[in-house]
Amino acid sequence: MIYLVVGKSGVGKSTVVDEFCKRTSIHKVIPYTTRPIRDNEVGGIDYHFVSEKVFKDMAFNGNLTNVESYRVYSGDIWYYGFNLDEIKKYENCILVCNPKNIEGFISRLGKENIHTIEIIADLNTRIERYIDRDSMSIEKIQELVRRFISDEKEFKDLVTDDLVGNEFTLEYAVNKLTRIILGDNHGE
Protein backbone atom coordinates (compact mmCIF):
# COMPACT_ATOMS: atom_id res chain seq x y z
CA MET A 1 0.00 0.00 0.00
CA ILE A 2 1.18 3.53 -0.78
CA TYR A 3 0.17 6.02 1.89
CA LEU A 4 -0.10 9.56 0.56
CA VAL A 5 -0.01 12.16 3.33
CA VAL A 6 -1.24 15.65 2.52
CA GLY A 7 -1.86 18.75 4.60
CA LYS A 8 -1.83 22.50 4.42
CA SER A 9 1.40 24.41 5.02
CA GLY A 10 2.54 24.27 8.62
CA VAL A 11 0.39 21.34 9.81
CA GLY A 12 3.46 19.22 10.56
CA LYS A 13 3.22 16.63 7.77
CA SER A 14 6.93 15.87 7.60
CA THR A 15 7.38 15.93 11.37
CA VAL A 16 4.55 13.43 11.92
CA VAL A 17 5.62 11.15 9.05
CA ASP A 18 9.29 11.22 10.07
CA GLU A 19 8.44 10.26 13.65
CA PHE A 20 6.06 7.54 12.41
CA CYS A 21 8.81 6.07 10.20
CA LYS A 22 11.29 6.02 13.12
CA ARG A 23 8.83 3.79 15.00
CA THR A 24 7.84 1.46 12.16
CA SER A 25 9.30 -0.40 9.21
CA ILE A 26 7.32 1.66 6.67
CA HIS A 27 9.68 3.29 4.15
CA LYS A 28 9.41 7.04 3.52
CA VAL A 29 9.85 8.03 -0.12
CA ILE A 30 11.97 11.19 -0.32
CA PRO A 31 10.94 13.66 -3.05
CA TYR A 32 13.31 15.55 -5.32
CA THR A 33 13.26 19.35 -5.43
CA THR A 34 15.11 22.35 -6.79
CA ARG A 35 14.07 24.65 -3.95
CA PRO A 36 16.64 25.97 -1.50
CA ILE A 37 17.28 23.92 1.61
CA ARG A 38 15.82 25.35 4.85
CA ASP A 39 17.89 25.94 7.97
CA ASN A 40 16.68 22.75 9.68
CA GLU A 41 16.66 20.37 6.68
CA VAL A 42 19.11 17.66 5.65
CA GLY A 43 19.66 16.62 2.04
CA GLY A 44 18.62 13.01 1.40
CA ILE A 45 16.48 13.01 4.56
CA ASP A 46 13.95 15.77 3.94
CA TYR A 47 14.38 16.08 0.16
CA HIS A 48 16.87 15.21 -2.51
CA PHE A 49 18.02 18.77 -3.29
CA VAL A 50 19.19 18.96 -6.90
CA SER A 51 19.91 21.66 -9.46
CA GLU A 52 17.26 22.59 -12.02
CA LYS A 53 19.38 20.97 -14.76
CA VAL A 54 19.67 17.66 -12.88
CA PHE A 55 15.94 17.72 -12.08
CA LYS A 56 14.92 18.39 -15.69
CA ASP A 57 17.29 15.67 -16.95
CA MET A 58 15.76 13.18 -14.50
CA ALA A 59 12.23 14.16 -15.55
CA PHE A 60 13.10 14.00 -19.26
CA ASN A 61 14.61 10.53 -18.81
CA GLY A 62 11.42 9.29 -17.09
CA ASN A 63 13.02 8.93 -13.65
CA LEU A 64 10.51 11.25 -11.96
CA THR A 65 6.73 11.15 -11.66
CA ASN A 66 4.16 13.65 -10.48
CA VAL A 67 6.41 16.57 -11.36
CA GLU A 68 5.05 19.89 -10.12
CA SER A 69 6.35 23.42 -10.34
CA TYR A 70 5.52 26.43 -8.21
CA ARG A 71 6.29 30.06 -8.86
CA VAL A 72 7.07 31.40 -5.41
CA TYR A 73 6.66 34.97 -4.24
CA SER A 74 10.24 35.89 -5.25
CA GLY A 75 9.45 34.86 -8.84
CA ASP A 76 11.66 31.76 -8.72
CA ILE A 77 10.23 28.46 -9.92
CA TRP A 78 10.69 25.45 -7.64
CA TYR A 79 10.25 21.92 -9.00
CA TYR A 80 9.18 18.81 -7.09
CA GLY A 81 8.89 15.16 -8.13
CA PHE A 82 9.08 11.55 -6.96
CA ASN A 83 11.15 8.60 -8.15
CA LEU A 84 8.51 6.10 -9.31
CA ASP A 85 10.95 3.16 -9.17
CA GLU A 86 11.57 3.85 -5.48
CA ILE A 87 7.82 3.84 -4.79
CA LYS A 88 7.32 0.55 -6.64
CA LYS A 89 10.23 -1.07 -4.80
CA TYR A 90 8.33 -1.26 -1.48
CA GLU A 91 5.25 -3.27 -0.59
CA ASN A 92 4.30 -0.47 1.82
CA CYS A 93 5.62 3.07 1.73
CA ILE A 94 4.58 6.53 2.81
CA LEU A 95 5.17 9.89 1.21
CA VAL A 96 4.25 13.51 1.79
CA CYS A 97 2.74 15.16 -1.26
CA ASN A 98 0.20 17.79 -2.23
CA PRO A 99 -3.43 17.28 -3.28
CA LYS A 100 -2.57 17.71 -6.98
CA ASN A 101 -0.36 14.60 -6.76
CA ILE A 102 -3.12 12.28 -5.57
CA GLU A 103 -4.84 11.82 -8.95
CA GLY A 104 -1.49 11.27 -10.66
CA PHE A 105 -0.54 8.50 -8.26
CA ILE A 106 -3.97 6.89 -8.57
CA SER A 107 -3.78 6.91 -12.37
CA ARG A 108 -0.25 5.43 -12.38
CA LEU A 109 -0.58 2.94 -9.54
CA GLY A 110 -4.33 2.25 -9.15
CA LYS A 111 -6.75 3.42 -6.46
CA GLU A 112 -6.61 0.00 -4.82
CA ASN A 113 -2.92 0.64 -4.02
CA ILE A 114 -3.37 4.15 -2.60
CA HIS A 115 -4.55 5.29 0.83
CA THR A 116 -4.82 9.06 1.36
CA ILE A 117 -4.43 10.73 4.74
CA GLU A 118 -4.81 14.43 5.49
CA ILE A 119 -3.09 15.95 8.51
CA ILE A 120 -5.01 18.92 9.85
CA ALA A 121 -4.40 21.74 12.33
CA ASP A 122 -6.04 25.08 12.99
CA LEU A 123 -4.78 28.27 11.34
CA ASN A 124 -3.03 29.71 14.41
CA THR A 125 -1.13 26.47 15.03
CA ARG A 126 -0.06 26.35 11.37
CA ILE A 127 1.21 29.94 11.40
CA GLU A 128 3.19 29.37 14.61
CA ARG A 129 4.80 26.21 13.20
CA TYR A 130 5.61 27.85 9.88
CA ILE A 131 7.34 30.75 11.63
CA ASP A 132 9.18 28.43 14.06
CA ARG A 133 10.69 26.25 11.33
CA ASP A 134 12.76 28.91 9.62
CA SER A 135 14.19 32.36 10.26
CA MET A 136 11.73 34.86 8.86
CA SER A 137 12.30 37.69 6.41
CA ILE A 138 9.85 39.86 4.50
CA GLU A 139 10.24 37.54 1.48
CA LYS A 140 9.51 34.46 3.63
CA ILE A 141 6.44 36.13 5.17
CA GLN A 142 5.19 36.96 1.67
CA GLU A 143 5.75 33.31 0.69
CA LEU A 144 3.86 32.17 3.81
CA VAL A 145 0.86 34.27 2.75
CA ARG A 146 1.07 32.94 -0.84
CA ARG A 147 1.15 29.34 0.43
CA PHE A 148 -1.72 29.78 2.88
CA ILE A 149 -3.92 31.36 0.20
CA SER A 150 -2.97 28.63 -2.28
CA ASP A 151 -3.76 25.94 0.32
CA GLU A 152 -7.32 27.21 0.67
CA LYS A 153 -7.86 26.60 -3.05
CA GLU A 154 -6.02 23.26 -3.23
CA PHE A 155 -7.76 21.74 -0.22
CA LYS A 156 -11.24 23.18 -0.81
CA ASP A 157 -12.87 20.03 -2.22
CA LEU A 158 -10.31 17.46 -1.10
CA VAL A 159 -11.65 14.16 0.19
CA THR A 160 -9.18 11.74 1.77
CA ASP A 161 -9.53 8.27 3.23
CA ASP A 162 -8.52 9.43 6.74
CA LEU A 163 -7.81 12.52 8.84
CA VAL A 164 -5.14 13.00 11.51
CA GLY A 165 -5.49 15.96 13.85
CA ASN A 166 -2.15 17.54 14.72
CA GLU A 167 -3.27 20.36 17.00
CA PHE A 168 -2.36 18.61 20.23
CA THR A 169 0.92 16.76 20.65
CA LEU A 170 3.21 15.06 18.19
CA GLU A 171 2.64 11.84 20.12
CA TYR A 172 -1.12 12.08 19.57
CA ALA A 173 -0.74 12.60 15.81
CA VAL A 174 1.84 9.82 15.39
CA ASN A 175 -0.31 7.39 17.36
CA LYS A 176 -3.34 8.23 15.22
CA LEU A 177 -1.33 7.75 12.01
CA THR A 178 0.03 4.45 13.36
CA ARG A 179 -3.49 3.17 14.11
CA ILE A 180 -4.64 4.11 10.59
CA ILE A 181 -1.75 2.35 8.87
CA LEU A 182 -0.95 -0.56 11.17
CA GLY A 183 -4.33 -1.12 12.77
CA ASP A 184 -6.08 -0.55 16.08
CA ASN A 185 -3.59 -2.62 18.11
CA HIS A 186 -0.78 -0.14 17.41
CA GLY A 187 -0.15 3.43 18.41
CA GLU A 188 -1.60 3.31 21.90
Side-chain angles (χ1 to χ4, degrees):
M1 184 63 63
I2 301 154
Y3 298 94
L4 304 180
V5 176
V6 297
K8 295 178 180 178
S9 297
V11 298
K13 301 175 293 288
S14 295
T15 301
V16 172
V17 168
D18 289 347
E19 186 62 29
F20 166 80
C21 289
K22 287 179 190 174
R23 300 178 187 189
T24 69
S25 61
I26 305 291
H27 175 77
K28 178 184 175 190
V29 176
I30 312 289
Y32 286 77
T33 187
T34 62
R35 79 159 170 77
I37 191 168
R38 293 181 187 138
D39 295 340
N40 61 341
E41 291 178 323
V42 177
I45 302 291
D46 298 295
Y47 287 91
H48 296 290
F49 294 96
V50 297
S51 69
E52 186 173 329
K53 180 184 179 341
V54 168
F55 188 96
K56 287 181 175 180
D57 287 347
M58 291 176 71
F60 179 78
N61 292 326
N63 300 98
L64 296 177
T65 187
N66 288 53
V67 171
E68 296 279 339
S69 63
Y70 296 91
R71 182 174 300 279
V72 296
Y73 187 82
S74 68
D76 293 341
I77 299 175
W78 296 346
Y79 296 92
Y80 295 84
F82 294 90
N83 183 321
L84 188 57
D85 290 336
E86 182 181 359
I87 295 168
K88 290 179 175 180
K89 186 166 55 172
Y90 296 94
E91 182 178 341
N92 294 299
C93 64
I94 190 168
L95 56 96
V96 175
C97 65
N98 66 55
K100 294 180 200 174
N101 292 136
I102 293 172
E103 285 306 315
F105 282 116
I106 289 172
S107 69
R108 285 172 185 78
L109 303 167
K111 174 62 180 147
E112 67 279 6
N113 299 310
I114 304 290
H115 188 97
T116 57
I117 303 164
E118 182 181 1
I119 297 181
I120 58 173
D122 67 69
L123 180 62
N124 288 334
T125 300
R126 292 172 48 223
I127 291 170
E128 287 174 18
R129 288 178 181 158
Y130 194 95
I131 291 170
D132 286 346
R133 76 179 179 197
D134 208 355
S135 56
M136 296 305 289
S137 64
I138 293 298
E139 185 176 271
K140 289 180 181 178
I141 292 169
Q142 290 167 326
E143 178 59 17
L144 175 150
V145 171
R146 185 203 65 78
R147 284 180 179 221
F148 278 53
I149 291 169
S150 175
D151 282 347
E152 293 309 309
K153 295 174 190 169
E154 283 189 36
F155 283 82
K156 184 177 182 208
D157 298 317
L158 180 68
V159 176
T160 58
D161 297 314
D162 281 294
L163 293 174
V164 172
N166 191 19
E167 298 170 331
F168 306 109
T169 65
L170 176 60
E171 187 71 20
Y172 173 87
V174 172
N175 286 343
K176 173 81 185 222
L177 184 61
T178 303
R179 284 191 303 277
I180 289 168
I181 294 175
L182 299 179
D184 289 333
N185 295 327
H186 296 83
E188 295 301 324

